[in-house]
């Protein structure tokens, strides 16, 4: 597995030499890949605990993204990648699971950047992560990352349509060290999530929760999370730590709300859940 910390350092070094919004910028055709390998049980168990997923059970829907994130960082910090990784904002993610995955499934991972898209606040890149088992596509995700910069026309007004307020389901008190704990489980130790001092270096007065933790925690809280086969989540505002947030949901989707703002919105689709016998449940297989 590529070293994620090394990629973060490389990104900090190369970012000052890149200029977002450069005319004619193009994405490299490079793909980063990892051959099939067993999933390490200890990091997976730590991930389940910090996100609230039950154990044992199928692989959480979001976990292949965690496995592929070091590959994505390797691509985005490469010299040929046109956007500076420092300041890049994760704006949305869409995940599709084609079949139920299990902790014992060896997954082949491939990550590549697919397109650069003009955005009202800059330029957005779509990064694709694909997982295969024995050559069969079993899982994929698309993520949007925004590089903010001035545009020729200036920022267009955003969608001002009020969001429907979903019914509150639970209130969560998020501790100040949540970013460090999730970083230890996922490997994503981006400084903006760790300490007030490191967050202030990047313009945040306090550390903020990982966006992927908020998605995973909401999915874990949903009824029968193992039946969810598709999710689209949009990150609307950072969650400063510590914080008290409200998880809200109905049959159409979910939200994570703070005081006077919505941090996250999402929609899901379900597939029929697997029947599990006691012996299969013990080893996490259906």
């Amino acid at each position: 597995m590529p070293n994620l910390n090394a990629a973060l350092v490389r990104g900090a070094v190369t970012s000052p030499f890149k200029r977002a919004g450069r005319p004619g910028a193009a994405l490299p055709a490079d793909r980063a890949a990892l051959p099939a390998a067993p999933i390490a049980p200890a990091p997976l168990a730590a991930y389940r605990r910090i996100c609230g997923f039950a154990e044992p059970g199928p692989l959480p829907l979001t976990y292949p993204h965690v496995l592929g994130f070091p590959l994505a960082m390797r691509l985005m910090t490469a010299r040929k990648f046109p956007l500076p990784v420092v300041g890049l904002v994760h704006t949305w993610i869409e995940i599709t699971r084609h079949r139920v995955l299990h902790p014992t499934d060896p997954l082949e991972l491939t990550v590549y950047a697919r397109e650069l898209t003009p955005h009202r606040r800059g330029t957005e890149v779509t990064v694709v992560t694909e997982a295969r088992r024995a050559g069969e596509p079993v899982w994929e995700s698309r993520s949007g990352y925004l590089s903010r910069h001035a545009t020729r026309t200036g920022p267009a007004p955003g969608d001002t349509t009020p969001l429907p307020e979903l019914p509150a389901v639970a209130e969560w008190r998020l501790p100040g060290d949540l970013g460090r704990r999730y970083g230890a489980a996922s490997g994503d130790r981006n400084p903006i999530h760790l300490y007030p001092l490191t967050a202030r270096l990047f313009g945040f007065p306090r550390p903020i929760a990982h966006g992927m933790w908020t998605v995973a925690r909401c999915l874990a809280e949903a009824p029968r999370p193992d039946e969810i086969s598709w999710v689209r989540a949009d990150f609307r505002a950072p969650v400063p730590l510590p914080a008290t947030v409200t998880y809200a949901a109905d049959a159409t989707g979910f939200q994570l709300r703070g005081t006077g703002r919505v941090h996250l919105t999402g929609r899901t689709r379900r597939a029929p859940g697997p029947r599990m016998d006691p012996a299969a449940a013990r080893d996490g297989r259906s």
Side-chain angles (χ1 to χ4, degrees), residues 137-161:
V138 292
W139 181 100
E140 62 186 276
S141 74
R142 298 185 306 124
S143 284
Y145 294 93
L146 173 64
S147 181
R148 294 179 178 175
H149 60 81
T151 62
R152 291 186 177 181
T153 58
D159 184 0
T160 57
T161 305

Side-chain angles (χ1 to χ4, degrees), residues 30-47:
D30 299 352
R31 292 186 173 217
L34 281 177
I39 295 172
L44 174 58
Y47 180 84

Side-chain angles (χ1 to χ4, degrees), residues 3-275:
N3 188 300
L4 188 52
N5 291 333
L8 289 171
V9 172
R10 185 168 59 249
V13 171
T14 59
S15 287
F17 301 97
K18 299 181 180 183
R19 183 168 62 90
R22 178 171 52 85
L27 290 170
D30 299 352
R31 292 186 173 217
L34 281 177
I39 295 172
L44 174 58
Y47 180 84
R48 289 186 191 271
R49 287 193 298 270
I50 193 66
C51 297
F53 289 105
E55 188 175 6
L59 200 67
L61 180 65
T62 47
Y63 198 64
H65 178 87
V66 172
L67 297 176
F69 188 63
L71 293 176
M73 283 298 298
R74 188 171 76 183
L75 280 180
M76 291 190 288
T77 57
R79 289 179 56 191
K80 293 185 291 183
F81 191 78
L83 303 179
V85 73
V86 173
L88 211 59
V89 180
H90 196 181
T91 50
W92 57 271
I93 186 167
E94 185 175 309
I95 299 174
T96 303
R97 188 201 71 199
H98 302 298
R99 48 155 287 186
V100 176
L101 300 177
H102 305 282
T104 52
D105 289 335
L107 299 179
E108 312 155 27
L109 297 173
T110 304
V111 179
Y112 57 95
R114 190 162 70 183
E115 58 186 339
L116 289 172
T117 307
H119 187 279
R120 63 190 179 90
R121 291 179 177 170
T123 300
E124 189 173 76
V125 61
T126 299
V127 177
V128 180
T129 303
E130 298 173 343
R132 289 176 170 79
R133 185 179 186 275
E136 173 197 358
V138 292
W139 181 100
E140 62 186 276
S141 74
R142 298 185 306 124
S143 284
Y145 294 93
L146 173 64
S147 181
R148 294 179 178 175
H149 60 81
T151 62
R152 291 186 177 181
T153 58
D159 184 0
T160 57
T161 305
L163 291 171
E165 187 166 296
L166 302 182
V169 176
E171 184 177 270
W172 301 332
R173 294 186 177 183
L174 311 184
D177 66 347
L178 175 62
R180 298 194 293 277
R181 292 167 56 198
Y182 180 82
S186 67
D188 183 358
R189 294 182 174 87
N190 188 320
I192 63 175
H193 304 300
L194 302 182
Y195 300 97
L197 176 60
T198 57
R200 283 196 291 270
L201 293 174
F202 296 90
F204 295 95
R206 289 149 57 188
I208 61 174
H210 292 73
M212 286 307 300
W213 178 86
T214 64
V215 176
R217 185 67 188 89
C218 289
L219 293 178
E221 190 75 10
R224 307 182 308 281
D226 295 335
E227 295 179 11
I228 297 173
S229 59
W230 177 86
V231 63
R232 162 76 189 220
D234 290 273
F235 305 106
R236 294 182 172 269
V239 181
L241 298 173
T244 298
V245 295
T246 298
Y247 165 71
D250 64 8
T252 67
F254 58 87
Q255 296 173 344
L256 195 65
R257 300 196 296 258
T259 303
R261 63 171 50 186
V262 176
H263 297 289
L264 174 74
T265 62
R267 293 172 288 130
T268 59
R269 289 199 295 263
R270 292 177 174 272
R275 291 175 175 246

